Amino acid sequence: MTYRNRKNATGVVGAICLSLIVISCGSASNRHKISNATFQGEWMLTIDSGELLCEAPNTVIFIAPDGTRYAVNGIAKGRGYTDIQPIWKDNPQIPGTKVNIGPLIDEGLKLCK
């Protein structure tokens, strides 16, 4: 193996190791179980519980009990996660709109820090 090939291989291995370290760091702190019973304020989903997760950069995801990962914010939607619309409660006061999902986004963004 030439010096150049060895240098490239070392760079690839280093990048993989760094990625694994970044993925494993904070994995317990960037997600938590959340439910209608434990949420402070109005629950905005049609299912009662799941996990809230934040992936860098500021990607807020709700993981349903069946494993579906829903995009809670625009960043997550842009990254291709399933649209949360089907499990997002309708606003009974204003037909054709949804209840405020902002508090769920805020809760998720706290996990990013």
Side-chain angles (χ1 to χ4, degrees):
M1 181 180 280
T2 67
Y3 172 75
R4 182 177 177 171
N5 289 342
R6 213 171 324 141
K7 185 177 177 184
N8 288 340
T10 301
V12 170
V13 170
I16 291 170
C17 290
L18 180 59
S19 296
L20 291 173
I21 290 168
V22 169
I23 289 168
S24 66
C25 286
S27 60
S29 64
N30 69 345
R31 67 191 306 164
H32 77 268
K33 292 184 189 293
I34 191 164
S35 71
N36 186 7
T38 62
F39 191 75
Q40 300 294 318
E42 181 184 359
W43 185 246
M44 64 286 305
L45 303 176
T46 60
I47 56 178
D48 287 331
S49 65
E51 271 190 283
L52 198 57
L53 166 68
C54 184
E55 293 180 347
N58 297 327
T59 305
V60 182
I61 303 155
F62 178 80
I63 306 170
D66 70 0
T68 304
R69 292 174 174 241
Y70 292 98
V72 177
N73 64 358
I75 296 170
K77 190 172 181 181
R79 293 186 68 196
Y81 287 97
T82 302
D83 194 331
I84 200 162
Q85 289 282 338
I87 65 165
W88 187 0
K89 280 186 182 175
D90 292 330
N91 184 341
Q93 278 82 33
I94 307 171
T97 66
K98 300 289 187 177
V99 297
N100 182 13
I101 202 165
L104 189 63
I105 294 171
D106 292 342
E107 193 70 25
L109 289 173
K110 288 178 191 174
L111 299 172
C112 293
K113 297 177 180 175

